[in-house]
Amino acid sequence: MASLQELRKRLKSIRSTGQLAGAMRTAATAKYSRLGAVRGDFLAYAKGCQDMLRLLGGSGISREGTEVAPRDCVVVMSGNRGLCGGFNAELNRFLDERLPELREPMLLVCGKKAAIYLRERGMDFEEFPVSDVPVYEELKPVSDRLRALYAEGKAERVLVVYQSFHNMLLQVPALRQLLPEPEGEDDTGAGELPTLCLPDRETIAAYLAVKCLDVQVFDLALETAVGAQAATMMAMRSACDNAEASAADLEITINRRRQADVTSSVIETASGNVQQGD
């Protein structure tokens, strides 16, 4: 049985853990609010780019040659930190399940946890550092690299593995194709409006195709970051609740142990007084 001193040390440790979890929850809440506001504003711009490209009849990024290597380029977007429940572990498991289905995949990684996981498995990849709150300039090299691989024919498809954000409690691993554009895109609006294009329609459509790729990559990075902060909030909230419950139970145990020691001391004192009186 643990002594009273050991129980007090354990209580102090639990309280420190709860305070640390509370601080991490506060930081994650602030980042989540900031990311949610940024992504909410950015979605309107992203939709506008897609609508304009569809209006002009843009067909996406064009290839520079006719030879195309039968390979897939896969971008893996993960969180930078742990302590976020199963956010990164589920993504890694999903990636393991999908890799056998891909054709000689070339891996590009945005996120420290995915980089650590792939490095431990001895897999080759290109790493692009991304902060917890991504900015547009950080993702521009990623989209430039993807566009170059696709245009030069070094990759037949460009795919992204990421955590699709549904709500604060639910993030689902997903695989999304960026290039070539998935079949079924609606281009029926092309040419319906007498739009004056300077210098010409084809040049503007080509520029918008590049811009839309940049926008999609950045939006996916924002979505991943929002999900990571939401998962961290939920995990740290659970940790805080568990720490508070454990501390409360331990306080009861300590109080009972202290009361038992006091009662035992009183009984011993009373017994000594009775013996002296006899």
Side-chain angles (χ1 to χ4, degrees), residues 180-209:
E181 294 181 358
E183 296 181 2
E185 291 291 330
D186 182 15
D187 291 333
T188 56
E192 289 183 358
L193 297 179
T195 307
L196 176 62
C197 300
L198 296 174
D200 56 73
R201 181 183 293 269
E202 289 72 20
T203 301
I204 295 176
Y207 172 81
L208 283 176

Tab-separated table of all heavy atoms in Angstrom, residues 180-209:
chain	number	residue	atom	x	y	z
A	180	PRO	N	-4.650	14.151	-63.595
A	180	PRO	CA	-5.516	15.054	-64.370
A	180	PRO	C	-6.846	15.259	-63.658
A	180	PRO	O	-7.167	14.530	-62.725
A	180	PRO	CB	-5.692	14.310	-65.690
A	180	PRO	CG	-5.562	12.863	-65.311
A	180	PRO	CD	-4.527	12.819	-64.224
A	181	GLU	N	-7.591	16.224	-64.093
A	181	GLU	CA	-8.872	16.494	-63.449
A	181	GLU	C	-9.774	15.267	-63.533
A	181	GLU	O	-9.879	14.637	-64.591
A	181	GLU	CB	-9.560	17.686	-64.107
A	181	GLU	CG	-8.810	18.994	-63.905
A	181	GLU	CD	-9.530	20.161	-64.539
A	181	GLU	OE1	-10.589	19.921	-65.153
A	181	GLU	OE2	-9.051	21.292	-64.426
A	182	PRO	N	-10.401	14.889	-62.426
A	182	PRO	CA	-11.279	13.700	-62.443
A	182	PRO	C	-12.360	13.820	-63.498
A	182	PRO	O	-12.846	14.918	-63.799
A	182	PRO	CB	-11.878	13.696	-61.032
A	182	PRO	CG	-10.914	14.481	-60.213
A	182	PRO	CD	-10.354	15.533	-61.114
A	183	GLU	N	-12.720	12.695	-64.073
A	183	GLU	CA	-13.772	12.695	-65.089
A	183	GLU	C	-15.095	13.113	-64.472
A	183	GLU	O	-15.370	12.872	-63.302
A	183	GLU	CB	-13.923	11.295	-65.691
A	183	GLU	CG	-12.688	10.831	-66.448
A	183	GLU	CD	-12.886	9.463	-67.047
A	183	GLU	OE1	-14.005	8.916	-66.887
A	183	GLU	OE2	-11.949	8.952	-67.662
A	184	GLY	N	-15.895	13.794	-65.285
A	184	GLY	CA	-17.205	14.212	-64.798
A	184	GLY	C	-17.279	15.683	-64.439
A	184	GLY	O	-18.293	16.169	-63.991
A	185	GLU	N	-16.140	16.415	-64.628
A	185	GLU	CA	-16.179	17.841	-64.373
A	185	GLU	C	-17.138	18.504	-65.355
A	185	GLU	O	-17.157	18.205	-66.548
A	185	GLU	CB	-14.774	18.447	-64.511
A	185	GLU	CG	-13.818	18.017	-63.414
A	185	GLU	CD	-14.193	18.600	-62.081
A	185	GLU	OE1	-14.765	19.708	-62.073
A	185	GLU	OE2	-13.942	17.961	-61.052
A	186	ASP	N	-17.917	19.421	-64.848
A	186	ASP	CA	-18.934	20.073	-65.674
A	186	ASP	C	-18.330	21.256	-66.407
A	186	ASP	O	-17.995	22.261	-65.800
A	186	ASP	CB	-20.097	20.531	-64.776
A	186	ASP	CG	-21.213	21.173	-65.578
A	186	ASP	OD1	-21.205	21.011	-66.809
A	186	ASP	OD2	-22.083	21.820	-64.958
A	187	ASP	N	-18.152	21.127	-67.727
A	187	ASP	CA	-17.644	22.223	-68.541
A	187	ASP	C	-18.720	22.769	-69.479
A	187	ASP	O	-18.430	23.430	-70.467
A	187	ASP	CB	-16.451	21.754	-69.387
A	187	ASP	CG	-15.231	21.455	-68.534
A	187	ASP	OD1	-15.131	22.069	-67.472
A	187	ASP	OD2	-14.408	20.607	-68.934
A	188	THR	N	-19.974	22.486	-69.154
A	188	THR	CA	-21.054	22.889	-70.059
A	188	THR	C	-21.218	24.396	-70.117
A	188	THR	O	-21.793	24.922	-71.051
A	188	THR	CB	-22.377	22.253	-69.595
A	188	THR	OG1	-22.631	22.628	-68.230
A	188	THR	CG2	-22.301	20.739	-69.689
A	189	GLY	N	-20.689	25.084	-69.118
A	189	GLY	CA	-20.839	26.539	-69.114
A	189	GLY	C	-19.839	27.253	-69.989
A	189	GLY	O	-19.889	28.460	-70.141
A	190	ALA	N	-18.880	26.535	-70.548
A	190	ALA	CA	-17.836	27.164	-71.345
A	190	ALA	C	-18.417	27.827	-72.582
A	190	ALA	O	-19.137	27.219	-73.356
A	190	ALA	CB	-16.789	26.120	-71.752
A	191	GLY	N	-18.083	29.070	-72.756
A	191	GLY	CA	-18.445	29.771	-73.971
A	191	GLY	C	-19.872	30.283	-74.008
A	191	GLY	O	-20.291	30.836	-75.014
A	192	GLU	N	-20.634	30.116	-72.946
A	192	GLU	CA	-22.019	30.568	-72.971
A	192	GLU	C	-22.104	32.087	-72.882
A	192	GLU	O	-23.011	32.688	-73.418
A	192	GLU	CB	-22.792	29.929	-71.824
A	192	GLU	CG	-23.045	28.432	-72.008
A	192	GLU	CD	-23.880	27.868	-70.891
A	192	GLU	OE1	-24.213	28.644	-69.974
A	192	GLU	OE2	-24.205	26.663	-70.927
A	193	LEU	N	-21.148	32.691	-72.172
A	193	LEU	CA	-21.182	34.137	-72.011
A	193	LEU	C	-20.192	34.796	-72.979
A	193	LEU	O	-19.088	34.271	-73.187
A	193	LEU	CB	-20.834	34.516	-70.575
A	193	LEU	CG	-21.806	34.007	-69.504
A	193	LEU	CD1	-21.318	34.437	-68.127
A	193	LEU	CD2	-23.204	34.530	-69.745
A	194	PRO	N	-20.549	35.922	-73.559
A	194	PRO	CA	-19.643	36.624	-74.489
A	194	PRO	C	-18.569	37.376	-73.715
A	194	PRO	O	-18.535	38.604	-73.680
A	194	PRO	CB	-20.582	37.574	-75.224
A	194	PRO	CG	-21.667	37.862	-74.228
A	194	PRO	CD	-21.864	36.589	-73.446
A	195	THR	N	-17.661	36.606	-73.056
A	195	THR	CA	-16.633	37.219	-72.227
A	195	THR	C	-15.477	37.701	-73.088
A	195	THR	O	-14.973	36.952	-73.937
A	195	THR	CB	-16.110	36.199	-71.192
A	195	THR	OG1	-17.223	35.653	-70.481
A	195	THR	CG2	-15.150	36.858	-70.220
A	196	LEU	N	-15.046	38.931	-72.882
A	196	LEU	CA	-13.882	39.468	-73.581
A	196	LEU	C	-12.639	39.080	-72.801
A	196	LEU	O	-12.492	39.426	-71.621
A	196	LEU	CB	-13.978	40.995	-73.685
A	196	LEU	CG	-12.770	41.692	-74.323
A	196	LEU	CD1	-12.580	41.232	-75.756
A	196	LEU	CD2	-12.934	43.207	-74.242
A	197	CYS	N	-11.723	38.325	-73.421
A	197	CYS	CA	-10.533	37.814	-72.754
A	197	CYS	C	-9.299	38.448	-73.359
A	197	CYS	O	-9.100	38.395	-74.581
A	197	CYS	CB	-10.453	36.296	-72.889
A	197	CYS	SG	-11.864	35.418	-72.166
A	198	LEU	N	-8.493	39.062	-72.532
A	198	LEU	CA	-7.229	39.651	-72.964
A	198	LEU	C	-6.103	39.049	-72.124
A	198	LEU	O	-6.209	39.018	-70.900
A	198	LEU	CB	-7.252	41.171	-72.788
A	198	LEU	CG	-8.271	41.936	-73.652
A	198	LEU	CD1	-8.283	43.412	-73.267
A	198	LEU	CD2	-7.956	41.762	-75.127
A	199	PRO	N	-5.033	38.493	-72.749
A	199	PRO	CA	-4.759	38.547	-74.195
A	199	PRO	C	-5.650	37.613	-75.022
A	199	PRO	O	-5.998	37.945	-76.151
A	199	PRO	CB	-3.285	38.132	-74.274
A	199	PRO	CG	-3.073	37.302	-73.058
A	199	PRO	CD	-3.940	37.891	-71.986
A	200	ASP	N	-5.994	36.404	-74.494
A	200	ASP	CA	-6.910	35.519	-75.203
A	200	ASP	C	-7.425	34.485	-74.216
A	200	ASP	O	-6.891	34.313	-73.123
A	200	ASP	CB	-6.223	34.836	-76.395
A	200	ASP	CG	-4.983	34.073	-75.988
A	200	ASP	OD1	-5.110	33.008	-75.365
A	200	ASP	OD2	-3.867	34.576	-76.260
A	201	ARG	N	-8.470	33.783	-74.618
A	201	ARG	CA	-9.131	32.825	-73.737
A	201	ARG	C	-8.189	31.689	-73.312
A	201	ARG	O	-8.160	31.284	-72.156
A	201	ARG	CB	-10.365	32.250	-74.437
A	201	ARG	CG	-11.150	31.245	-73.603
A	201	ARG	CD	-12.295	30.700	-74.422
A	201	ARG	NE	-13.270	31.729	-74.706
A	201	ARG	CZ	-14.332	31.994	-73.940
A	201	ARG	NH1	-14.548	31.286	-72.860
A	201	ARG	NH2	-15.178	32.944	-74.267
A	202	GLU	N	-7.388	31.160	-74.245
A	202	GLU	CA	-6.519	30.020	-73.946
A	202	GLU	C	-5.446	30.385	-72.926
A	202	GLU	O	-5.132	29.608	-72.022
A	202	GLU	CB	-5.866	29.501	-75.234
A	202	GLU	CG	-6.818	28.794	-76.191
A	202	GLU	CD	-7.765	29.775	-76.883
A	202	GLU	OE1	-7.422	30.990	-76.914
A	202	GLU	OE2	-8.813	29.352	-77.375
A	203	THR	N	-4.867	31.578	-73.068
A	203	THR	CA	-3.820	32.007	-72.141
A	203	THR	C	-4.371	32.165	-70.729
A	203	THR	O	-3.745	31.750	-69.746
A	203	THR	CB	-3.204	33.334	-72.606
A	203	THR	OG1	-2.654	33.168	-73.919
A	203	THR	CG2	-2.104	33.795	-71.656
A	204	ILE	N	-5.560	32.768	-70.638
A	204	ILE	CA	-6.158	32.971	-69.321
A	204	ILE	C	-6.552	31.631	-68.702
A	204	ILE	O	-6.363	31.407	-67.499
A	204	ILE	CB	-7.384	33.899	-69.443
A	204	ILE	CG1	-6.942	35.292	-69.901
A	204	ILE	CG2	-8.106	33.987	-68.102
A	204	ILE	CD1	-8.075	36.245	-70.130
A	205	ALA	N	-7.095	30.720	-69.515
A	205	ALA	CA	-7.467	29.404	-68.996
A	205	ALA	C	-6.243	28.650	-68.490
A	205	ALA	O	-6.296	27.980	-67.443
A	205	ALA	CB	-8.186	28.599	-70.074
A	206	ALA	N	-5.119	28.747	-69.216
A	206	ALA	CA	-3.895	28.077	-68.777
A	206	ALA	C	-3.389	28.663	-67.459
A	206	ALA	O	-2.942	27.937	-66.563
A	206	ALA	CB	-2.820	28.192	-69.858
A	207	TYR	N	-3.466	29.991	-67.339
A	207	TYR	CA	-3.041	30.637	-66.094
A	207	TYR	C	-3.942	30.221	-64.930
A	207	TYR	O	-3.465	29.915	-63.828
A	207	TYR	CB	-3.072	32.158	-66.267
A	207	TYR	CG	-2.833	32.910	-64.978
A	207	TYR	CD1	-1.545	33.098	-64.486
A	207	TYR	CD2	-3.905	33.419	-64.241
A	207	TYR	CE1	-1.325	33.781	-63.301
A	207	TYR	CE2	-3.693	34.094	-63.059
A	207	TYR	CZ	-2.395	34.275	-62.590
A	207	TYR	OH	-2.187	34.945	-61.410
A	208	LEU	N	-5.252	30.180	-65.170
A	208	LEU	CA	-6.181	29.802	-64.112
A	208	LEU	C	-6.016	28.342	-63.702
A	208	LEU	O	-6.216	27.986	-62.543
A	208	LEU	CB	-7.616	30.060	-64.559
A	208	LEU	CG	-8.082	31.513	-64.518
A	208	LEU	CD1	-9.485	31.628	-65.086
A	208	LEU	CD2	-8.041	32.053	-63.098
A	209	ALA	N	-5.634	27.490	-64.664
A	209	ALA	CA	-5.403	26.082	-64.332
A	209	ALA	C	-4.257	25.957	-63.334
A	209	ALA	O	-4.321	25.185	-62.365
A	209	ALA	CB	-5.101	25.285	-65.594
